[in-house]
Amino acid sequence: MRVTRILFLAKYRLPHACMSLQYDHNLLNIDKTIIVSPESKDMLWQCFANHNIDTSNFVYLPDQEFLPLYPEIDNWLRYGTRFGSWLRQQALKLSVLDYLDYEIALIQDPDTFLIQPWSCWEQGMLNFMVLENTTHSRGYYEVLPNSLGIQRQTPHCFVTELVPVHRDDWNALKSLLEHKHNKWFLDAIIDAVPGLPTVPPWGTGNIIKWFSEYELIGNWAMFRHQ
């Protein structure tokens, strides 16, 4: 299996990436890296060169190439400025998973790096990195029965910022969402995320939506493959 690492880079994340990419020797069996960014390739590649980062296996994907194909991304903005932008970047990641051609994709947040060797594909299986016996917001898990009709599959947490995805798993997830809810997958997901009351310091009584693309992906993979 060929593994494509996907790195999402807003401008403020570029310093993080220039540090985390120094540890790529610990990220095993990666065939290419796709840099998804609204910034120009010339600026990004020059910054990488300044930090001696090898870009020979890097591919540039500008936001404007795929965003017009997924206008529903902006529907995720309607939940307030603070949380809307946080939700939107998750919708963006899911859209890129749908847009790209790959066998195995590895989403890596640019402020995360490995301090020991790890491969996301071992012995013919996805190798998830997890936080053992950890639970985050209940909204992360309530979306699973609401959207996919499944329960949380493990007491461990997939929010490790390094999450692999098999293309067949993604295709099955998208197909289930759209047939079950009779709407485009992005709308099916965000409409299934429960609204939860806020607590200080963000206010009280307002409704926000907590969602983790990593919990959705990880629990779905476990459900399909046990």
Side-chain angles (χ1 to χ4, degrees):
M1 285 288 183
R2 297 180 62 83
V3 179
T4 300
R5 188 251 305 263
I6 309 172
L7 207 65
F8 295 85
L9 277 187
K11 191 172 185 178
Y12 78 99
R13 289 291 198 187
L14 190 52
H16 302 159
C18 287
M19 182 184 73
S20 67
L21 290 169
Q22 307 293 332
Y23 293 83
D24 268 7
H25 57 277
N26 284 325
L27 189 57
L28 307 181
N29 304 320
I30 299 298
D31 295 286
K32 68 178 177 181
T33 292
I34 296 181
I35 303 294
V36 184
S37 180
E39 308 301 329
S40 73
K41 180 180 179 180
D42 288 345
M43 186 275 283
L44 295 172
W45 261 239
Q46 183 59 59
C47 191
F48 293 148
N50 292 344
H51 292 84
N52 300 312
I53 295 169
D54 180 10
T55 58
S56 58
N57 288 322
F58 284 18
V59 177
Y60 173 62
L61 175 62
D63 283 9
Q64 58 266 31
E65 180 177 322
F66 67 90
L67 282 177
L69 303 176
Y70 298 89
E72 295 84 2
I73 290 173
D74 287 338
N75 291 342
W76 291 45
L77 279 169
R78 62 178 179 249
Y79 299 103
T81 302
R82 176 188 292 271
F83 295 101
S85 58
W86 173 70
L87 288 168
R88 183 182 182 276
Q89 58 89 19
Q90 297 185 73
L92 187 148
K93 290 177 185 175
L94 296 174
S95 298
V96 169
L97 282 179
D98 186 63
Y99 177 74
L100 291 176
D101 181 26
Y102 55 86
E103 292 180 291
I104 305 295
L106 174 66
I107 299 175
Q108 178 183 357
D109 281 8
D111 58 349
T112 304
F113 55 89
L114 293 160
I115 58 173
Q116 62 186 33
W118 175 72
S119 174
C120 70
W121 179 257
E122 288 187 348
Q123 300 178 344
M125 294 186 295
L126 294 173
N127 179 30
F128 281 93
M129 187 183 298
V130 298
L131 302 174
E132 293 186 359
N133 299 309
T134 299
T135 297
H136 276 291
S137 167
R138 64 184 173 91
Y140 287 7
Y141 309 105
E142 290 181 5
V143 71
L144 297 170
N146 292 351
S147 63
L148 300 174
I150 68 172
Q151 297 299 318
R152 186 183 182 189
Q153 301 293 299
T154 172
H156 309 318
C157 174
F158 293 102
V159 187
T160 58
E161 328 301 353
L162 287 153
V163 178
V165 186
H166 196 294
R167 181 73 210 196
D168 288 348
D169 290 342
W170 171 257
N171 289 340
L173 184 151
K174 179 184 176 183
S175 178
L176 174 61
L177 285 168
E178 294 183 351
H179 284 89
K180 182 179 177 64
H181 300 281
N182 196 30
K183 59 183 72 172
W184 188 239
F185 73 94
L186 287 173
D187 287 337
I189 294 172
I190 194 60
D191 289 347
V193 179
L196 301 174
T198 59
V199 295
W202 299 303
T204 56
N206 298 318
I207 298 299
I208 60 172
K209 294 201 172 194
W210 293 101
F211 172 72
S212 167
E213 74 279 35
Y214 298 149
E215 289 288 2
L216 186 78
I217 290 167
N219 279 280
W220 174 245
M222 285 197 67
F223 175 78
R224 290 200 79 208
H225 303 291
Q226 296 302 307

